[in-house]
Amino acid sequence: MSTRLIAFAAGAIDYLLKPISQDRLAQAVERAIKLHARPAAVAEQLANAQEIAESPHSRPVRKIVARSGDEYLLLNADEVFAFEADGDLVWIITAKTRYLATQSLKVIQNKLQNTSFRRIHRKALVNIDHVRKMSTLSSQRWLVTLSNNKEFIVSKRQVRSVRQLLNW
């Protein structure tokens, strides 16, 4: 991995090479000031830089940006049990905690295509690696229980995709 990628993976917001001109230094400081006002954007850029730095031969590692108060955390996808929309908010559900997401459920779903996350309801996206149990409520209603005992009802529209999970 190049020095530049290592720097960005560590959270660098710019990269200066010697000899440093006054204009280039001023530009880097101006960028830092702008990014300081947008911590969510910085966290997203850091997550993207970490994905780029990964080897193309390994399974793509997705970092999920979560918010807890004034802090932004980078979660591994396997730590996340589900995403749940509640009005304009999207909650990230882990084993013991829930965090606010920085993006809409639709954007999150698009970023997590071809992973173990499946849409089971217009308000829910679950990690099938954390599904403990699936129960029928009726011919077109299912209840999905995660390993942290959080339960979700599958929408009629998504029943077919849930049934496919049973065909292993």
Side-chain angles (χ1 to χ4, degrees), residues 90-128:
V90 175
W91 293 100
I92 301 170
I93 299 165
T94 63
K96 296 180 182 177
T97 311
R98 71 181 201 161
Y99 303 99
L100 275 173
T102 59
Q103 297 173 326
S104 71
L105 198 56
K106 184 174 178 98
V107 169
I108 293 167
Q109 180 181 0
N110 288 337
K111 286 187 171 192
L112 294 173
Q113 281 183 343
N114 303 320
T115 66
S116 59
F117 287 88
R118 298 289 181 274
R119 190 71 170 252
I120 63 163
H121 192 277
R122 67 183 174 86
K123 294 183 175 187
L125 184 65
V126 299
N127 186 339
I128 59 171

Side-chain angles (χ1 to χ4, degrees), residues 3 32-33 39 44 51 54 59 80 83 105-106 109 116 121 127 138 147 164:
T3 306
I33 291 168
E44 289 292 336
E51 285 179 33
E54 291 297 316
R59 182 174 165 232
V80 176
F83 296 90
L105 198 56
K106 184 174 178 98
Q109 180 181 0
S116 59
H121 192 277
N127 186 339
S138 69
S147 52
Q164 289 173 350

Side-chain angles (χ1 to χ4, degrees), residues 5-6 26 28 32 35 40 42 53 55 62 67 71 98 103 116 120 130 136-137 143 157 164:
L5 281 178
I6 292 169
L35 290 176
V42 173
S55 166
R62 300 274 183 199
R67 184 173 156 205
E71 295 182 327
R98 71 181 201 161
Q103 297 173 326
S116 59
I120 63 163
H130 292 290
T136 56
L137 298 174
L143 181 70
R157 180 180 282 173
Q164 289 173 350

